[in-house]
Amino acid sequence: MKKATETYKHCLDQAMKLNDLRQQKILCDVTLCAAETNFPAHRNVLAVSCSYFFKMFTSDMKEKNAESINLEALAVRPSSVDTLLTYLYTGNLSVTHFNAEELVVLADYFLITEVKAMASHELESKVNVANCLFYLTFAERYDCERLAQTSRLFIEKHFTEVTQSEDFLNLGVLEFTDIISSDNIIVETEDAVYASVVSWIDHNRDERHVYLPKLLSCIRWCSMANVCTQVINSSLLQSHPSCKELVENILQRQNSSDVSLFQKPRKCLQPAVEVIVTVSGSQIQDAQPSSMRCYVPQEDSWFELADFPQQINWHGFVECEGELYTVGGERNGEVSDALEKFNRKTNTWTRMSSMLKPVLFPAVASLGNHLYAVGASRVNRGSLQIYSPARDSWTLGTQLNVPREISCAISDGQFLYAIGGMRAGDGEYLNSAERYDPEQETWTNISSMSQSRGGSCAVSNGTCIFVMGGESSVRLALSSCEVYSTVSNQWQCIASMHVPRYFAGAALVENKIYVFGGVGGANVTFEHKKLVDCFDLGESKWVADMTMPWVAKYLQCCTLRCKRDLLIGLPQVED
């Protein structure tokens, strides 16, 4: 180890000394001429650190033996050229917003992919209304894929603001058509897109009016709020009889019953979809933060959300009044009292008021406009902590009749239920359950399950509560499932899952129950770890014909109804 360290230090010292020689113009044998400035350098160093120069100096190119190489056509500042040369000599690269564009130009010319990536990344963080169109063109010219994606995504998310800029009005017809054709434009109504067409043409009507038929074909007329005489009688359409006839025909089609005649609305104007959001626990030794992902059953696709900012495990995760919260658990190895709220629009987490008591393995559920954290492991097993999002504050509720750990919590819209778990103190697995009435602030025992189970998951459709899996002894996962009737106060066994699971996540979407992750224990094979069990309530049977793209030993999930445009720009998760 000592020898390797000394070797590394020796190489670093040599690189710094060579760069000093370059700056002092000592032993240099080639000169780069750029920005009306000469940059003496060493052929061997350039050849070793850049494949472009290696080929130049070892092939039959005329520059092979030339004393100078003219790079004036790149039109960059001397400081940017010096920054690149410093990188080639030492590996140190100072990228700022001031030099990032020119470093992209230089790196693209010299085929230095890592420099182009670093400089492009700097530009990605600076994209705004004033420069997004420029950076889109810049990125496409210099093949910066991520910068192009970032710029395009910004344009689509801020379409109305961007259309007010002079750069937008000066776009060429191809670039303009490409933007307004996108499914991902975010607007209040389609009228904003139509208004942008009118503004763009009016900016130079004499030359641009010929493009009107092509541009009108990009309008999603099915989403227009004001397709009426106001549009038909506009001066623009009056000057273009064929377009006026086109819009009149669209009006007639809108009044017909033939839905096949209509275009598909943009994603932001399509009906909301149900998605399942998951937060996977991470082990202490894991280098990566916990994974946050969402699954769209309609499309059978997974999307990557922002990773949780800390290592989190054995936490609660719940939806309350359209917001997502993580509750307690273990954060960076310590039992936590933290509560975080997820902002869907910005894809970020915000710390809210801390809990009154730290909790590990809390059972969490929402009821009405409150969030409930039931029980815990190790300490605070009998506690009920109630959070009010409106006041961002916690209160203590009535203690459980039976203190429980690794229990399961669910609500039916009227009551809160604490189901199964382990009895505090003796480690006995429980089949008992109790119901909390928020108006009376009391817990009432209900009928017991047929199977004792802890670490199970549950969903409710109002009159029935479905409880899946869990463990009945340490690390022995269950595949059995039961359903509780809130009307008859009776439990009934239903078909078992294909995969035994504990500490899994469950969600109900469109009459189907999905159970993710949580596989583990001596009775679960490696092949089963990614399988997702899906229960069709209509057919009363489980199928396991889909897999997760990753393995999650501890996973919590909940459903959320959201517009499709919130998924725009999120990377898709592949197997």
Side-chain angles (χ1 to χ4, degrees), residues 4 118 122 178 181 249 272 308 322 445 487 520:
M118 286 186 281
E122 171 67 21
D178 183 54
S181 299
N249 289 336
F308 195 76
N445 293 330
V487 178

Side-chain angles (χ1 to χ4, degrees), residues 170-191:
N170 289 327
L171 285 172
V173 64
L174 294 179
E175 293 82 2
F176 180 77
T177 305
D178 183 54
I179 290 173
I180 67 170
S181 299
S182 172
D183 273 344
N184 298 332
I185 291 174
I186 298 178
V187 288
E188 293 290 333
T189 68
E190 188 69 15
D191 299 60

Side-chain angles (χ1 to χ4, degrees), residues 282-357:
S282 61
Q283 302 302 312
I284 301 303
Q285 66 270 21
D286 290 347
Q288 296 298 321
S290 305
S291 295
M292 186 178 183
R293 292 167 174 165
C294 72
Y295 176 67
V296 185
Q298 275 190 9
E299 302 173 1
D300 187 26
S301 54
W302 286 91
F303 294 91
E304 196 85 51
L305 296 169
D307 276 328
F308 195 76
Q310 300 172 293
Q311 286 187 325
I312 183 174
N313 209 11
W314 306 325
H315 53 280
F317 185 48
V318 64
E319 178 272 334
C320 183
E321 294 196 297
E323 303 286 356
L324 301 177
Y325 297 87
T326 54
V327 184
E330 190 175 72
R331 314 292 178 94
N332 295 331
E334 296 183 0
V335 180
S336 174
D337 60 2
L339 175 77
E340 291 93 358
K341 180 169 72 171
F342 182 69
N343 187 319
R344 290 176 281 161
K345 291 186 177 181
T346 62
N347 200 19
T348 56
W349 291 92
T350 302
R351 181 72 179 258
M352 309 305 290
S353 292
S354 297
M355 307 177 72
L356 301 176
K357 300 180 179 182

Side-chain angles (χ1 to χ4, degrees), residues 7-219:
T7 301
Y8 171 79
K9 185 177 183 300
H10 172 76
C11 293
L12 185 61
D13 288 343
Q14 292 291 83
M16 299 305 293
K17 289 176 181 178
L18 284 169
N19 194 46
D20 288 340
L21 292 177
R22 174 184 72 84
Q23 293 174 330
Q24 297 173 46
K25 304 178 183 180
I26 297 174
L27 298 178
C28 297
D29 53 0
V30 68
T31 300
L32 305 184
C33 303
E36 299 181 352
T37 307
N38 292 330
F39 298 91
H42 305 88
R43 291 175 183 272
N44 286 344
V45 176
L46 297 181
V48 167
S49 55
C50 176
S51 60
Y52 178 95
F53 285 110
F54 178 82
K55 291 179 181 178
M56 176 185 288
F57 297 146
T58 59
S59 67
D60 293 330
M61 297 175 67
K62 64 180 182 179
E63 292 87 357
K64 178 179 180 180
N65 298 312
E67 293 182 358
S68 64
I69 301 169
N70 193 331
L71 302 173
E72 294 287 351
L74 296 180
V76 294
R77 289 183 293 263
S79 59
S80 298
V81 178
D82 188 66
T83 297
L84 182 67
L85 286 172
T86 299
Y87 171 77
L88 295 179
Y89 273 74
T90 69
N92 297 324
L93 183 68
S94 176
V95 181
T96 67
H97 186 56
F98 181 74
N99 67 13
E101 289 176 28
E102 294 185 351
L103 286 176
V104 168
V105 174
L106 287 165
D108 182 75
Y109 185 84
F110 292 120
L111 306 177
I112 311 174
T113 55
E114 68 276 13
V115 172
K116 186 161 76 170
M118 286 186 281
S120 176
H121 181 69
E122 171 67 21
L123 296 178
E124 290 167 32
S125 66
K126 305 300 182 182
V127 174
N128 57 40
V129 172
N131 62 29
C132 57
L133 291 166
F134 167 77
Y135 279 141
L136 177 60
T137 303
F138 179 86
E140 290 173 345
R141 178 179 179 181
Y142 293 105
D143 194 27
C144 302
E145 185 177 346
R146 280 185 46 177
L147 177 59
Q149 290 176 346
T150 300
S151 301
R152 181 175 293 278
L153 180 61
F154 187 93
I155 293 167
E156 291 168 343
K157 285 192 172 184
H158 301 85
F159 178 80
T160 303
E161 298 167 73
V162 173
T163 59
Q164 309 305 311
S165 69
E166 191 70 18
D167 284 350
F168 187 82
L169 295 176
N170 289 327
L171 285 172
V173 64
L174 294 179
E175 293 82 2
F176 180 77
T177 305
D178 183 54
I179 290 173
I180 67 170
S181 299
S182 172
D183 273 344
N184 298 332
I185 291 174
I186 298 178
V187 288
E188 293 290 333
T189 68
E190 188 69 15
D191 299 60
V193 184
Y194 175 78
S196 75
V197 171
V198 174
S199 297
W200 185 82
I201 291 178
D202 281 345
H203 193 65
N204 189 357
R205 185 178 288 202
D206 290 344
E207 294 183 10
R208 294 178 175 179
H209 75 94
V210 295
Y211 301 123
L212 184 59
K214 178 180 180 179
L215 298 178
L216 289 182
S217 69
C218 300
I219 301 298

Side-chain angles (χ1 to χ4, degrees), residues 190-262:
E190 188 69 15
D191 299 60
V193 184
Y194 175 78
S196 75
V197 171
V198 174
S199 297
W200 185 82
I201 291 178
D202 281 345
H203 193 65
N204 189 357
R205 185 178 288 202
D206 290 344
E207 294 183 10
R208 294 178 175 179
H209 75 94
V210 295
Y211 301 123
L212 184 59
K214 178 180 180 179
L215 298 178
L216 289 182
S217 69
C218 300
I219 301 298
R220 312 297 173 90
W221 296 97
C222 58
S223 302
M224 281 282 288
N226 296 308
V227 183
C228 58
T229 55
Q230 180 182 350
V231 174
I232 295 174
N233 294 330
S234 67
S235 61
L236 187 58
L237 264 66
Q238 289 296 323
S239 65
H240 227 300
S242 62
C243 293
K244 180 179 178 182
E245 183 180 353
L246 170 67
V247 177
E248 288 174 339
N249 289 336
I250 290 169
L251 271 173
Q252 293 176 0
R253 293 179 181 184
Q254 283 188 327
N255 294 327
S256 75
S257 57
D258 188 356
V259 295
S260 65
L261 297 173
F262 299 144

